[in-house]
Amino acid sequence: TRETSFVEKMKKTGKNIIVFYGSQTGTAEEFANRLSKDAQRYGMKGMVADPEEYSMGELSRLSEINNSLAIFCMATYGEGDPTDNAQDFYDWLQENDDEDLSGLNYTVFGLGNKTYEHYNAMGKYVDKRLEELGATRIFDLGLGDDDGNLEEDFISWREQFWPAVCEHFGVEASGDESSIRQYELQEHPDINMNKVYTGEIGRLKSFEVQKPPYDSKNPFLAPVTVNRKLNKAGDRHLMHLELDITGSKIRYESGDHVAVFPTNDSALVNKLGQILGVDLDVVISLNNLDEESNKKHPFPCPTTYRTALTHYLDITHPPRTNVLYELAQYASDPKDQENMRKMASSSPEGKALYQNWVLDASRNILAVLEDMPSLRPPIDHLCELLPRLQARYYSIASSSKVHPNSIHICAVVVEYETKTGRVNKGVATNWLKNKLITDNGHKSTVPMYIRKSQFRLPFKATNPVIMVGPGTGIAPFMGFIQERGWLKQQGKEVGETVLYFGCRHKNEDYIYQEELEDAERNGVLTKLNVAFSRDQDHKVYVQHHLKKNKEHVWKLIHTDNAHIYICGDARNMAKDVQTAFCEIAEELGGMTHTQAVDYIKKLMTKGRYSQDVWS
């Protein structure tokens, strides 16, 4: 049985720093690992912990350990929500008012994104709540903004955090700046291939023998039954896929998200093998040097380098500074070494170099190796340092009332040219685009699971709904429209159903045009408003149509209790649309600007204004 007391585990293994993470896409977990590794440099010993695996009521006992400290790396997900793995911890914090944490030393680093309404809500809450329960904050809350440069925010915070810890505990840095390996390489020359992972996420052979229930640790292999291009013209590729979930016992509701586990482009993997001069089909394990750690391997082992680089590791995102820092020692040119270490420092010059050479140039690890011929690290160290390849979330474009055994996805293929003249391709969308219905007589499958969301049709079918979803933001509304149609067929009285959709050109990317016009003809959609942004000399967007129909919109909201839904781009569209709703409330509700902003915020709190947005 697994030890659920982190205090006992720390005592047993001589640790005094524990780093908890709330992570949805792996970044907070990555930051937690880096902080735990840092502790060694200060003669302290750290361990990383997933709050889901331990009993968090033990926080009050941490003071039994000398010079102890709890660090929390907490990401915010969705509309200011905790990540899945921190949900129980969040509930515990909210419910336990009489908890006494007076002996607990803590600090929090939050991961968020300023384009969202509830910026860093989880980090802020944990920081405030621990103090309310009597704990001692030994360093200020750090806030990372993924809309800016999250990596830089983290480095700057960490740079000031450690000196504060040293001062608080009266310890000194050992000055050991060298790279510390976390895993050791083991090769398996004569292994039975039945014991080798080939891309499974959880259990060995879980893709051959599938057993419900299906979730993030045990995805279902869903056959692709439809894969068609939606747009008639233009240089983008918008696509509609259907996944078959027959016999899986998977249930979903319209508004939920489907998570898929993509694989990297084999051409990219082969190039990495070539440039590092490695046989990618060697079977290996990377074993944690800390035998007490819950994390035995950085990814499922034993496996081959090819499988790791294809299924388990993220090789397309620009590498984070710690990767550059740790790989610097392998550059034979001292200038390259210096630049790599500089990029990982918090000096203004180093930050600018990283921003410019890595981020703005969108250089992935292969591009870094190609443009630094002196850098040829051992592949096992590279695999230890690269982050895990993450599942991608898509808003489901169908209703389970109409399609109980099928999940629809609507997405746009990501492909762009970088400043260095390379073509970068989105991992998941290019992989999905190439999922033919049958591949050499075999069915193409997609490893997937469902993530529940708060994006739900009103409980009462008679409530009107206003849906705003330009581009692929229309996805969940295809499900909503199917569902309202189904309710009508059941003889239910259904309120007004209004859609504001937008695209570039009517004859190019007006996706789902037939379905939407049918729904309008059948009275399922009571009003279909489409903005074609580029079909005239001035841009026309969904918010312009909202303003044009302001009287109708205001009546639905203020008199008829309408629910508002917004899906799509967070950075511009969601903000502009919210501003439009505020202006309508101001103008037709006779409110001041502040009152109108409050009015919309109240709709959010009441669950009548929901967003499913991404940036």
Side-chain angles (χ1 to χ4, degrees):
T1 58
R2 202 170 240 187
E3 176 74 81
T4 60
S5 162
F6 60 83
V7 174
E8 292 309 322
K9 181 151 193 176
M10 288 170 78
K11 286 179 176 175
K12 211 162 62 192
T13 57
K15 306 282 203 285
N16 66 321
I17 292 185
I18 183 158
V19 195
F20 292 104
Y21 61 86
S23 191
Q24 196 70 30
T25 60
T27 315
E29 183 179 358
E30 217 179 302
F31 285 3
N33 276 314
R34 286 160 71 176
L35 289 167
S36 168
K37 236 178 173 176
D38 281 344
Q40 278 182 312
R41 299 202 175 111
Y42 299 94
M44 301 189 251
K45 288 185 76 180
M47 72 175 256
V48 175
D50 178 345
E52 205 168 33
E53 293 181 3
Y54 292 100
S55 142
M56 297 305 281
E58 297 254 304
L59 281 172
S60 57
R61 287 186 54 208
L62 195 58
S63 53
E64 295 171 16
I65 295 171
N66 244 348
N67 281 356
S68 60
L69 166 65
I71 306 174
F72 297 85
C73 290
M74 307 307 285
T76 298
Y77 190 70
E79 301 298 293
D81 306 313
T83 54
D84 295 345
N85 78 311
Q87 184 67 54
D88 294 345
F89 173 45
Y90 176 75
D91 295 341
W92 178 83
L93 282 172
Q94 282 196 302
E95 288 154 16
N96 290 287
D97 281 330
D98 45 0
E99 193 68 38
D100 177 14
L101 299 181
S102 52
L104 174 69
N105 296 311
Y106 79 94
T107 189
V108 180
F109 183 82
L111 295 82
N113 185 318
K114 278 211 174 98
T115 36
Y116 297 108
E117 186 74 33
H118 308 278
Y119 174 57
N120 252 318
M122 186 62 183
K124 290 173 181 169
Y125 174 73
V126 171
D127 181 64
K128 173 174 122 313
R129 186 61 174 153
L130 291 173
E131 183 179 50
E132 285 171 4
L133 298 176
T136 307
R137 179 190 298 108
I138 69 155
F139 189 66
D140 292 341
L141 165 68
L143 296 176
D145 174 19
D146 204 19
D147 186 42
N149 180 342
L150 183 60
E151 176 70 18
E152 187 182 305
D153 295 337
F154 176 64
I155 295 177
S156 306
W157 177 83
R158 169 177 163 238
E159 197 84 359
Q160 297 173 300
F161 163 67
W162 283 114
V165 173
C166 290
E167 196 178 333
H168 188 271
F169 292 127
V171 294
E172 292 207 359
S174 60
D176 179 18
E177 282 295 314
S178 69
S179 140
I180 306 160
R181 288 288 301 257
Q182 223 176 327
Y183 297 92
E184 68 179 343
L185 172 65
Q186 178 187 6
E187 294 194 354
H188 306 281
D190 327 313
I191 193 166
N192 170 352
M193 290 312 274
N194 279 327
K195 303 247 185 307
V196 178
Y197 281 87
T198 56
E200 307 92 318
I201 302 301
R203 197 180 77 245
L204 186 67
K205 300 276 174 261
S206 59
F207 283 174
E208 288 171 33
V209 183
Q210 293 239 284
K211 297 191 185 113
Y214 298 104
D215 56 30
S216 61
K217 304 211 167 49
N218 178 37
F220 174 68
L221 289 180
V224 178
T225 53
V226 175
N227 181 355
R228 63 185 168 94
K229 185 175 175 183
L230 287 168
N231 48 321
K232 302 182 187 75
D235 47 9
R236 296 184 304 162
H237 182 106
L238 291 111
M239 55 189 174
H240 172 89
L241 284 96
E242 302 188 4
L243 308 180
D244 184 3
I245 53 168
T246 307
S248 67
K249 297 194 165 68
I250 290 175
R251 318 252 298 257
Y252 75 95
E253 302 267 342
S254 12
D256 284 342
H257 297 145
V258 58
V260 304
F261 286 97
T263 59
N264 287 311
D265 183 348
S266 58
L268 214 51
V269 173
N270 289 332
K271 277 189 184 162
L272 274 170
Q274 277 162 2
I275 206 164
L276 295 174
V278 185
D279 173 1
L280 292 176
D281 297 305
V282 177
V283 179
I284 58 118
S285 288
L286 287 178
N287 302 322
N288 202 323
L289 290 162
D290 174 359
E291 277 145 28
E292 299 294 339
S293 173
N294 275 3
K295 195 175 180 187
K296 300 294 176 222
H297 314 283
F299 44 79
C301 290
T303 190
T304 63
Y305 287 125
R306 183 181 306 283
T307 299
L309 293 169
T310 305
H311 294 273
Y312 300 139
L313 297 171
D314 178 344
I315 59 176
T316 56
H317 274 110
R320 297 201 179 276
T321 59
N322 63 306
V323 177
L324 302 175
Y325 181 84
E326 303 247 348
L327 293 180
Q329 56 182 319
Y330 301 114
S332 54
D333 179 343
K335 193 82 192 101
D336 284 347
Q337 277 207 25
E338 189 196 336
N339 277 332
M340 290 177 76
R341 292 206 173 98
K342 193 185 282 172
M343 284 194 275
S345 76
S346 55
S347 74
E349 189 191 355
K351 285 177 173 175
L353 187 59
Y354 178 70
Q355 181 69 45
N356 181 12
W357 199 79
V358 179
L359 297 182
D360 295 344
S362 310
R363 274 188 174 89
N364 59 29
I365 190 65
L366 177 63
V368 168
L369 293 170
E370 286 174 343
D371 295 346
M372 267 196 190
S374 99
L375 175 66
R376 293 297 178 261
I379 189 166
D380 62 298
H381 200 173
L382 181 66
C383 289
E384 166 177 329
L385 293 169
L386 289 173
R388 282 292 294 267
L389 182 59
Q390 298 294 330
R392 307 307 207 252
Y393 295 102
Y394 295 97
S395 305
I396 296 177
S398 52
S399 160
S400 54
K401 301 286 190 286
V402 182
H403 298 283
N405 290 316
S406 174
I407 284 174
H408 300 185
I409 293 175
C410 163
V412 58
V413 174
V414 175
E415 188 171 309
Y416 59 94
E417 191 171 320
T418 72
K419 285 185 178 166
T420 64
R422 294 176 167 93
V423 173
N424 276 7
K425 296 177 168 193
V427 175
T429 54
N430 280 280
W431 168 76
L432 284 171
K433 175 185 166 186
N434 293 317
K435 285 281 171 190
L436 308 168
I437 310 311
T438 54
D439 214 2
N440 290 332
H442 294 288
K443 281 184 174 172
S444 273
T445 58
V446 168
M448 53 75 69
Y449 66 94
I450 298 297
R451 186 173 195 280
K452 296 267 166 252
S453 85
Q454 304 293 314
F455 205 69
R456 288 280 181 271
L457 276 170
F459 182 66
K460 283 165 63 182
T462 49
N463 283 73
V465 300
I466 300 171
M467 306 174 285
V468 184
T472 54
I474 192 165
F477 302 137
M478 295 308 293
F480 280 10
I481 291 163
Q482 289 173 11
E483 188 133 336
R484 302 277 273 192
W486 177 84
L487 287 165
K488 259 182 119 79
Q489 279 178 334
Q490 302 293 300
K492 297 266 193 313
E493 189 190 331
V494 177
E496 281 194 52
T497 306
V498 179
L499 174 69
Y500 285 85
F501 172 66
C503 61
R504 294 175 182 179
H505 299 284
K506 181 168 189 174
N507 52 10
E508 276 188 15
D509 55 347
Y510 184 176
I511 58 177
Y512 298 117
Q513 181 176 358
E514 292 75 19
E515 292 93 324
L516 293 173
E517 288 173 353
D518 276 352
E520 190 177 32
R521 257 196 309 279
N522 303 335
V524 174
L525 263 184
T526 42
K527 186 94 179 69
L528 170 62
N529 305 281
V530 187
F532 303 106
S533 62
R534 304 182 182 183
D535 277 346
Q536 59 285 309
D537 24 358
H538 58 285
K539 296 272 171 82
V540 175
Y541 294 124
V542 280
Q543 60 270 25
H544 300 128
H545 280 260
L546 280 168
K547 295 290 289 281
K548 204 173 68 189
N549 299 323
K550 57 190 178 190
E551 282 83 7
H552 180 230
V553 168
W554 182 245
K555 177 188 173 292
L556 288 178
I557 299 171
H558 197 64
T559 315
D560 304 340
N561 233 355
H563 285 227
I564 300 165
Y565 301 91
I566 292 145
C567 180
D569 164 61
R571 180 166 289 116
N572 302 306
M573 184 276 298
K575 287 199 172 104
D576 294 343
V577 165
Q578 191 168 326
T579 303
F581 278 117
C582 287
E583 287 169 357
I584 291 172
E586 201 174 327
E587 193 185 333
L588 296 174
M591 306 179 193
T592 64
H593 174 69
T594 318
Q595 287 172 321
V597 171
D598 269 0
Y599 182 87
I600 300 298
K601 289 247 160 50
K602 274 218 174 61
L603 291 180
M604 288 179 185
T605 354
K606 287 193 205 134
R608 278 183 51 204
Y609 190 108
S610 309
Q611 306 193 82
D612 175 5
V613 294
W614 54 82
S615 64

